[in-house]
């Protein structure tokens, strides 16, 4: 380990000790309580991008959010990882809200808009190219490149919300309890703001179930 790495990891563990001390100063039983279990109300699906700090940008505390992050916040139909998170969050933790949060300036979305061979990443990014193909008419009508890029970020978020709605665990829970609700957001790192796309998941559920009705029994 070279000196630079050494000081990086020393800093990390120093930060951790300070964080523990800070929490205990406010509540001496903080970690005892934290260790007792989790009851988060939100499932957050976001991008792995280092600038999209899920908890920090929402002011969420430990225990409040179940989080899944991958490149370009995708809930793929054959992604055992993402689907297991959705299954567990909705089926077992019974979260009340599912948030898919993309971000402007997303490198994955940008890469999917360019003609390039990225090897193992190709099938992953193809999922974003598929979103482009679904909305080709709208996207190609946008002449400004930056605007088209921003719009694909938004459309990808909506498509991933739809992918959540397609799952049996969501359909079963929603038809039984009216929960969870599904939200599509975009983090604008140019301003720091969260933008609510006002995704109408109730209307979309009806449309989706015309094709993806799994006959889920209640
Ligand atoms: Co991203």
């Amino acid at each position: 380990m070279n000196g630079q790495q050494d000081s990086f990891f020393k800093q990390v563990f120093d930060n951790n000790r300070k964080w523990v001390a800070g929490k205990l100063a406010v509540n001496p039983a903080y970690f005892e309580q934290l260790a007792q279990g989790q009851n988060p109300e939100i499932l957050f699906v976001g991008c792995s991008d280092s600038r999209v700090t899920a908890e920090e940008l929402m002011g969420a505390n430990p225990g409040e959010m179940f989080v899944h992050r991958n490149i370009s916040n995708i809930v793929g139909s054959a992604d055992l990882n993402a689907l297991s998170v959705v299954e567990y969050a909705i089926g077992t933790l019974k979260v009340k809200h599912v948030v898919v949060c993309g971000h402007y300036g997303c490198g994955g979305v940008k890469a999917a808009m360019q003609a390039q061979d990225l090897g193992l990443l190709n099938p992953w990014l193809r999922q974003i190219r598929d979103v482009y193909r679904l909305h080709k008419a709208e996207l190609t009508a946008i002449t400004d490149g930056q605007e088209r890029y921003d719009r694909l970020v938004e459309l990808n978020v909506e498509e991933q919300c739809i992918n959540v709605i397609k799952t049996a665990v969501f359909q079963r829970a929603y038809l039984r309890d009216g929960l969870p609700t599904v939200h599509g957001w975009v983090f604008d790192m140019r301003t720091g703001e969260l933008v609510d796309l006002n995704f109408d998941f109730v209307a979309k559920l009806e449309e989706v179930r015309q094709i993806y009705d799994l006959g889920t029994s209640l």
Side-chain angles (χ1 to χ4, degrees):
M1 197 182 280
N2 66 36
Q4 208 177 0
Q5 281 177 331
D6 224 16
S7 70
F8 173 76
F9 288 108
K10 185 179 174 306
Q11 186 66 56
V12 166
F13 283 88
D14 280 351
N15 290 347
N16 173 252
R17 277 187 286 271
K18 279 183 207 150
W19 177 73
V20 171
K23 291 290 184 195
L24 293 176
V26 177
N27 176 7
Y30 183 82
F31 292 101
E32 268 169 58
Q33 289 162 358
L34 198 64
Q36 279 167 12
Q38 62 171 336
N39 189 24
E41 297 202 344
I42 299 175
L43 164 61
F44 179 96
V45 178
C47 185
S48 295
D49 191 300
S50 60
R51 298 163 293 181
V52 186
T53 53
E55 289 89 346
E56 189 177 334
L57 72 90
M58 290 173 64
N61 291 310
E64 290 181 345
M65 248 177 19
F66 203 63
V67 174
H68 180 74
R69 290 169 67 182
N70 60 34
I71 293 174
S72 301
N73 40 271
I74 290 173
V75 183
S77 63
D79 179 354
L80 191 58
N81 186 348
L83 293 177
S84 297
V85 169
V86 169
E87 180 76 27
Y88 185 69
I90 298 177
T92 303
L93 293 173
K94 305 201 181 305
V95 294
K96 296 189 172 75
H97 314 284
V98 177
V99 170
V100 177
C101 183
H103 67 103
Y104 297 126
C106 185
V109 173
K110 178 151 217 170
M113 293 175 82
Q114 291 166 347
Q116 54 182 341
D117 179 355
L118 291 172
L120 184 62
L121 275 170
N122 291 340
W124 189 262
L125 299 177
R126 189 187 305 148
Q127 300 175 98
I128 304 169
R129 293 180 193 260
D130 289 342
V131 176
Y132 198 114
R133 184 161 57 86
L134 273 173
H135 300 276
K136 191 175 167 218
E138 179 187 342
L139 288 164
T140 50
I142 302 173
T143 49
D144 182 78
Q146 182 65 44
E147 261 177 57
R148 196 184 316 119
Y149 177 23
D150 286 354
R151 185 62 185 140
L152 183 55
V153 165
E154 295 168 1
L155 290 169
N156 180 49
V157 166
E158 291 191 1
E159 208 56 40
Q160 305 317 319
C161 288
I162 292 168
N163 281 345
V164 171
I165 286 172
K166 288 175 188 167
T167 63
V169 71
F170 172 80
Q171 291 187 20
R172 206 181 300 121
Y174 186 77
L175 296 176
R176 188 187 54 222
D177 307 326
L179 286 172
T181 58
V182 180
H183 309 266
W185 297 350
V186 177
F187 173 58
D188 189 345
M189 59 179 68
R190 298 167 294 206
T191 61
E193 278 175 325
L194 271 178
V195 181
D196 189 344
L197 298 177
N198 295 313
F199 175 70
D200 187 350
F201 80 97
V202 178
K204 195 50 88 172
L205 178 61
E206 224 165 276
E207 187 190 320
V208 161
R209 277 173 61 86
Q210 288 172 16
I211 300 171
Y212 302 91
D213 184 349
L214 298 173
T216 43
S217 52
L218 303 183

